Amino acid sequence: MEKERILELQKIATDIRLGALRAVYNAKSGHPGGALSSADILACLYFSELNIDVNNPKWEDRDRFVLSKGHSCPGLYATLAEKGFFDKSELDSFRHTGALLQGHPDMKAISGVDMSTGSLGQGFSCACGMALGAKISGKSYRTYALVGDGESQEGQVWEAIMFAAHYKLDNLCLIIDSNGLQIDGCVKDVMNVMPYEPKLEAFGWNVITIDGNNIEEILAALEAARAVKGKPTAIIAKTTKGKGVSFMENQASWHGKAPNEEQYNIAVSELTEYKNQLGGNK
Amino acid sequence: MADKIATREAYGKALLEFGAKNENIVVFDADLAEATKTCLFKKEFPERFFDCGIAENNMMSVAAGISTTGKIPFVSTFAMFAAGRSFEQIRNSIGYPHLNVKICATHAGISVGEDGATHQCNEDLALMRTIPGMVVMNPSDGVEARAAVEAAINYEGPVYIRFGRLALPIFNEEGYKLEIGKAVKLKDGKDVTIVASGMMVSEALEAREILAGEGISASVINVHTIKPLDKEAIVNDAKITGAVVVSEEHNIIGGLGSAVAEAIAEAYPVPVVRHGVNDVYGKSGPAKELIEYYGLNANGIVKKAKEAIALKK
């Protein structure tokens, strides 16, 4: 049963990757690298962890998710479409003039998006506000925020880390999509913000480090996070940027550019083949 | 009521008053509660008060987040650190999603006094005014400050209110209510229109008396809401007087002066002369001396009003 669940989530993650690439390819711009690295996390959140209702996206007791690294939205959009918040055909007009799916998430327009993000460092603070809102209202919903590696260089992220620990926001879960790369190269070379673990622990956080492309480890970490009381939990998800597409993996150059037709076809065939190996039949 | 009260003081009292009636009101401050007067709310409702420490950017975005859960966050720090430091958090976390956050910034303008240039924000109205959908208010006395807080609570969306440190004379009557975006014409006139906001409104009333003594008839309009601007009230009065002077405790670039000049230029071009801080930084000194130094008083308005009249064709 557990194996079937993991297999199912792996398939969904692959569909998310395919959807994200479909969006970026049709837009001729966008950010595939981080969308691919975080697809497994999104699959676990939206298809296992989050208590949400597609038919009532603004349900006040729902769990919240904030994509603080807003540029990775092709992954979020593919996930929301997969979940049924809007039609998958919307992915084809991502970033187009007048289209629903903006270059960065717009909570006003897009069903299922809990916060408008894109300017790095801000979304995570917004998530802290949501978690605080739940606390003082005596509500049991949880708030999750996905923050990027490079994003962690923003001072505001550390202001929020301080805030969440100070107000004991144990209903908040920070997930760092640690793919080790940012636009200008390796995070360690551009501005070394690592290691995260001792810093977060020093701020008073519970920290769990996992392979962020491993469904089993993600599910276990989310479950462990839920059990920790009195302090917030950070999941340091070590991921591979561009995960699932051979020529995009671990390449900073694929942070923010679209594949051409030939590259797109190769990417789709690689991901489809992987899905077939998993036993996909779609 | 006291003859004089700082608008920040009136803000603190209003938070206390309306906080008692509306339990959705939550207050955030960045280690300045004693100065912004949110300390009054903090003392009465500690479970709804959150000090964010000296980390304004996080505070703005936290307020954005909690507003999505049905709370009405009031966020306070000095104008310099709200509109200045956290401009982009206000623009992207609060303005773009049009969230129900009330940014109440104190210690605006030259009248901060001794703290000097780094703390005297003469740019906040300009910055906040450029954010689409943002309501920008600048109350003129303690009574209007309370009314502004009440109006902000009853309005769904982002609001920026500017409060000052200096005690100002009360001229609005108790029980006064304001309508966001609706200017208040205080006095009629024939020769020149004085448009003012904040602490310059009472100076404008005094300037009107001085001008009357010289045979010049001036109208006075209190523009408590810089955005949305009551263009109609201003243009209609300009049609009567044919000349406008705009007075504010703000840089003459980008604030009320600019807003009025834009409105007049587009609807009914007559001379507009701006009176304010003349595109310079402030200085240290007692507030009252600085007000004289920068000419932010009735005499300064009188001089500019005459310039406006002289420009009439």
Side-chain angles (χ1 to χ4, degrees):
Chain A
M1 205 51 190
E2 186 65 9
K3 263 189 181 167
E4 274 176 37
R5 182 174 165 231
I6 289 163
L7 198 62
E8 185 58 29
L9 287 169
Q10 284 172 331
K11 280 187 224 164
I12 291 168
T14 309
D15 283 333
I16 291 170
R17 290 189 166 93
L18 284 162
L21 287 172
R22 172 179 168 181
V24 173
Y25 173 67
N26 282 297
K28 297 186 174 64
S29 73
H31 300 81
L36 295 175
S37 68
S38 58
D40 303 293
I41 297 165
L42 289 170
C44 289
L45 283 169
Y46 278 87
F47 290 86
S48 175
E49 183 72 6
L50 297 180
N51 184 24
I52 51 175
D53 180 358
V54 178
N55 297 314
N56 187 8
K58 297 283 179 194
W59 175 37
E60 62 177 32
D61 292 336
R62 74 190 185 282
D63 287 337
R64 268 74 168 172
F65 173 71
V66 177
L67 183 69
S68 197
K69 47 175 297 190
H71 57 273
S72 292
C73 60
L76 177 63
Y77 295 160
T79 306
L80 295 175
E82 201 68 39
K83 193 81 186 164
F85 280 99
F86 46 79
D87 198 88
K88 282 185 187 173
S89 64
E90 294 288 351
L91 297 172
D92 296 333
S93 56
F94 169 55
R95 287 180 167 242
H96 291 194
T97 307
L100 173 70
L101 302 181
Q102 296 296 294
H104 292 85
D106 173 6
M107 68 183 284
K108 278 296 186 206
I110 306 168
S111 180
V113 172
D114 286 327
M115 180 52 66
S116 299
T117 54
S119 180
L120 296 177
Q122 298 185 24
F124 177 42
S125 295
C126 297
C128 290
M130 294 172 183
L132 182 66
K135 278 262 171 206
I136 62 174
S137 301
K139 288 185 180 284
S140 59
Y141 69 77
R142 290 177 59 76
T143 302
Y144 299 81
L146 187 66
V147 169
D149 245 350
E151 181 178 16
S152 307
Q153 292 158 349
E154 286 281 5
Q156 186 175 348
V157 168
W158 297 93
E159 291 181 2
I161 285 169
M162 192 161 52
F163 180 92
H166 184 83
Y167 286 107
K168 301 184 169 57
L169 301 179
D170 52 14
N171 55 354
L172 175 74
C173 182
L174 161 66
I175 305 166
I176 298 184
D177 179 15
S178 184
N179 58 40
L181 294 170
Q182 59 188 120
I183 296 176
D184 281 351
C186 291
V187 172
K188 282 178 180 168
D189 297 332
V190 174
M191 180 50 64
N192 194 6
V193 61
M194 298 171 187
Y196 298 111
E197 291 87 346
K199 294 186 184 75
L200 281 157
E201 280 165 2
F203 274 100
W205 282 61
N206 176 51
V207 186
I208 305 169
T209 301
I210 58 163
D211 174 350
N213 293 124
N214 181 310
I215 299 285
E216 231 174 320
E217 289 192 28
I218 299 166
L219 292 176
L222 291 170
E223 193 177 335
R226 251 182 285 132
V228 175
K229 299 298 167 198
K231 55 164 96 171
T233 290
I235 298 172
I236 313 301
K238 303 272 188 195
T239 57
T240 298
K241 193 151 185 158
K243 178 74 179 178
V245 178
S246 59
F247 58 90
M248 291 186 179
E249 287 194 359
N250 286 315
Q251 299 297 316
S253 59
W254 283 102
H255 172 87
K257 78 172 176 194
N260 62 28
E261 191 181 352
E262 188 190 346
Q263 289 164 331
Y264 178 61
N265 288 335
I266 294 169
V268 169
S269 71
E270 284 184 11
L271 288 165
T272 308
E273 193 182 327
Y274 174 69
K275 203 178 140 189
N276 288 338
Q277 283 170 12
L278 292 171
N281 49 11
K282 273 196 242 176
Chain B
M1 184 171 283
D3 293 332
K4 281 190 170 188
I5 183 174
T7 51
R8 63 166 167 156
E9 189 83 39
Y11 163 58
K13 288 177 177 170
L15 270 186
L16 196 58
E17 178 190 344
F18 296 113
K21 294 177 192 163
N22 188 335
E23 62 180 24
N24 281 327
I25 292 174
V26 292
V27 177
F28 294 86
D29 207 306
D31 194 40
L32 287 169
E34 293 294 324
T36 62
K37 298 301 170 193
T38 61
C39 58
L40 301 173
F41 182 95
K42 175 186 178 180
K43 199 175 163 202
E44 194 68 24
F45 308 108
E47 72 288 353
R48 285 192 271 148
F49 176 87
F50 304 96
D51 208 316
C52 296
I54 308 168
E56 296 82 5
N57 296 342
N58 177 60
M59 176 168 73
M60 291 299 170
S61 300
V62 164
I66 203 167
S67 77
T68 69
T69 72
K71 301 294 174 194
I72 306 172
F74 276 73
V75 190
S76 284
T77 178
F78 291 177
M80 186 63 80
F81 315 127
R85 179 185 299 243
S86 298
F87 170 79
E88 203 236 312
Q89 280 73 17
I90 296 174
R91 196 267 188 194
N92 278 323
S93 288
I94 298 169
Y96 176 46
H98 201 72
L99 294 176
N100 196 27
V101 177
K102 317 304 172 186
I103 302 147
C104 292
T106 68
H107 293 64
I110 289 291
S111 62
V112 165
E114 290 84 348
D115 276 355
T118 55
H119 286 54
Q120 292 162 337
C121 191
N122 298 314
E123 301 86 7
D124 55 327
L125 300 176
L127 289 163
M128 292 297 102
R129 189 165 83 83
T130 59
I131 297 174
M134 180 69 74
V135 166
V136 183
M137 289 195 276
N138 184 21
S140 56
D141 70 0
V143 169
E144 191 164 70
R146 178 193 172 277
V149 171
E150 186 176 24
I153 293 166
N154 294 328
Y155 170 84
E156 176 83 21
V159 175
Y160 177 88
I161 314 179
R162 171 191 235 229
F163 299 109
R165 174 174 183 262
L166 183 68
L168 299 177
I170 297 278
F171 66 90
N172 286 298
E173 285 177 18
E174 220 159 320
Y176 161 92
K177 285 190 190 292
L178 68 74
E179 192 182 327
I180 289 172
K182 194 87 187 150
V184 182
K185 189 164 176 184
L186 295 171
K187 299 284 180 189
D188 287 319
K190 296 198 305 277
D191 302 323
V192 64
T193 301
I194 306 174
V195 177
S197 77
M199 76 166 194
M200 299 315 296
V201 177
S202 57
E203 297 294 327
L205 291 168
E206 199 182 323
R208 182 177 186 272
E209 295 303 312
I210 299 170
L211 288 165
E214 299 180 33
I216 297 168
S217 163
S219 62
V220 177
I221 301 176
N222 169 21
V223 180
H224 49 67
T225 309
I226 316 295
K227 185 181 184 178
L229 185 70
D230 189 347
K231 295 176 189 173
E232 197 184 348
I234 295 163
V235 169
N236 284 345
D237 204 69
K239 283 177 180 172
I240 298 167
T241 62
V244 179
V245 58
V246 191
S247 182
E248 60 186 325
E249 189 199 9
H250 187 275
N251 194 335
I252 55 165
I253 295 173
L256 178 64
S258 294
V260 170
E262 290 156 14
I264 292 286
E266 287 179 356
Y268 189 78
V270 294
V272 177
V273 173
R274 296 165 299 158
H275 174 243
V277 178
N278 203 16
D279 198 24
V280 292
Y281 294 99
K283 287 180 189 302
S284 285
K288 282 180 181 153
E289 289 179 28
L290 292 178
I291 284 165
E292 295 298 315
Y293 183 91
Y294 289 96
L296 294 171
N297 50 21
N299 287 329
I301 297 172
V302 166
K303 190 167 157 251
K304 293 289 180 185
K306 288 176 182 171
E307 281 179 32
I309 292 166
L311 286 168
K312 286 193 203 180
K313 279 175 188 159

